[in-house]
Amino acid sequence: MSAPVRVRFAPSPTGQPHIGNVRTALFNWLFARGRQGKFIVRIEDTDQTRLVPDAVEGILDGLRWLDIDWDEGPEVGGPYGPYFQSERLDLYQEAARGLMEGGHAYNCYCSPERLQEMRKQQMKEQKTPGYDRCCLNIPAQKLREYKDEGRVPVVRFKMPDPEEITVQDIIRGEVSWRSELLDDFVILKSDGFPTYHLANVLDDHDMEISHVLRAEEWLPSTPRHLMLYRALGLEPPLFGHLPMILGPDRSKLSKRHGATSILEYKEMGYLPKALTNFMALLGWSLDDRTEIMDRRTLVENFSLDRVVKSGAIFNREKLDWMNGVYFRNMSPEELTERILAYWEEFPASQILRPLDRGYLMRIAPLIQERLKTLRDASGLTSFFFQSELVYEPQELVQKGMDLKTTSAALEQALSTIDSSVTFDAETLEERLRALGSELDLSGRQFFGLLRVATTGSKVSPPLFQTMEVLGRDRCSHRISKAIEALAAS
RNA sequence: GCCCCCAUCGUCUAGUCUGGUUAGGACGCCAGCCUUUCAAGCUGGAGAUCAGGGGUUCGAAGCCCCUUGGGGGCACCA
């Protein structure tokens, strides 16, 4: 009988979350959902100097967009709150006091300048930088001086005597460190706020977190956390260090790798389902072939023993492909709604407003298998919304044709279109094909010409369906204009 | 500099625990088919001496050792 699964995503509101952060959240979420566990969001806002306004909102919006819901945390609350560390300061201060009383921590009055100088010196001597325990035993006299000067101390954790510290990492197996290589790190800052180490350890315990699943960059701080748990007399949770998401140069993902905020992926036109499917595959796999998976499949099959150890480069081209797969698997209705919602949020200048759902409903199927991102939709459909096209005469004239034959073909097509009783793709194809062979033009020539005349471009959705959606009047008008453009050239 | 982690096609990965088919799949790339364009789809192809070197073994991508390479960490940041 094991304890219930309780995992958390603990972002720091110092900016917008990127793919790496969110992938960590996703793995935690998948793990919780697959094991009837709880997924908790905790905001680690202990650095007052780096707080970014609206960062919390951005983080939560990102999670919401991807349908990663949390059982406890901001907005929803929960029995282990508050879920903002800035609202739990007394807990940390009390714990720090307890550690000091138990001889596991001490006050340090060293100035930032001295510490910096010390590190500089250590680096120069090619030694591992670390606190020199200058304040471990401060003489009473000195202590009085510090207090008279009004100096405010930090609290440092006192590393115990040399020993081997070992963690059984769920993903990496056994990892050990020598404690003497770790220094007396700060647990409580002079502003009364805890550092990450203290707050994280205390909260994970208080919130009864069962598994700490975090990025590999935290692996080196795990021995410190283990030491803290022991000094505090607390049972540590299980740890699993997830592989990192790397930039194209294989280094840690950062601002300089370009578009990193998760909400930018929304703006770039990716579908949340496609993006989560893709992220799930960054460091995890179901088997040797399954790639397209819905939420349920992901939740039911996700397991930590299939998470790889090595970092993964984020590959946009494959995401584009996968996004396209999701478009193709959609119903035309859903596709229409998606495009509509996207244009609503990110208006495109080429698209006529107000948006007409019925019209778009007829257009959407024509671009469905051509779409990679929602952002592409406006470029692919703009000619449906423009009232007048601009023609390049040389684009109208097809290979093996000239101005005269082009004009003549357009005249003929115009009368065919105008005289056609019905105006649907099937009829149009039948009649225009007949006309094409009558004019002794290849499909490439004749339909290419009509395509440019009706859509203004050499590339478009299938011609006859496109014409049907455009309607007789518009097609007729556009072809006349094309004839005029030819005449004027 | 010190500590830790990692290492299979360009990229994401399967296979490693429990040595034994031409090392499998996907993206991308190339070619062909389909075709009114672009896509999509279908078929085929190129692409990994499993980082390198030593062992162990009848047999090593897999087990052991060494080396190299890459990454992460060493703050009153998380």
Side-chain angles (χ1 to χ4, degrees), chain A residues 109 139-151:
Chain A
Y109 290 87
Q141 158 87 31
K142 203 91 172 146
L143 197 62
R144 228 170 297 123
E145 278 176 35
Y146 286 154
K147 287 198 170 144
D148 288 346
E149 288 169 32
R151 283 165 79 158

Side-chain angles (χ1 to χ4, degrees), chain A residues 5-7 23-35 168-173 210-215 237-243 280 282-286 298-310:
Chain A
V5 167
R6 290 178 55 83
V7 292
R23 202 281 314 256
T24 298
L26 176 65
F27 277 23
N28 273 281
W29 183 86
L30 287 171
F31 185 68
R33 292 290 170 261
R35 307 259 309 244
Q168 273 299 333
D169 191 275
I170 301 168
I171 301 192
R172 275 149 229 284
S210 60
H211 300 69
V212 170
L213 307 177
R214 54 176 22 165
L238 297 173
F239 291 93
H241 288 89
L242 306 170
L282 245 33
W284 174 83
S285 63
L286 172 59
L298 248 22
V299 166
E300 283 171 3
N301 292 285
F302 181 80
S303 74
L304 294 175
D305 50 21
R306 290 197 62 86
V307 172
V308 299
K309 297 186 185 76
S310 50

Side-chain angles (χ1 to χ4, degrees), chain A residues 343-361:
Chain A
W343 282 348
E344 222 41 91
E345 187 167 1
F346 308 104
S349 58
Q350 314 90 302
I351 306 304
L352 205 65
R353 302 176 79 87
L355 298 168
D356 178 342
R357 174 177 273 106
Y359 186 39
L360 186 57
M361 183 70 203

Side-chain angles (χ1 to χ4, degrees), chain A residues 289-303:
Chain A
R289 57 193 68 251
T290 315
E291 300 215 283
I292 303 299
M293 285 172 274
D294 59 24
R295 280 305 173 102
R296 233 187 88 204
T297 309
L298 248 22
V299 166
E300 283 171 3
N301 292 285
F302 181 80
S303 74

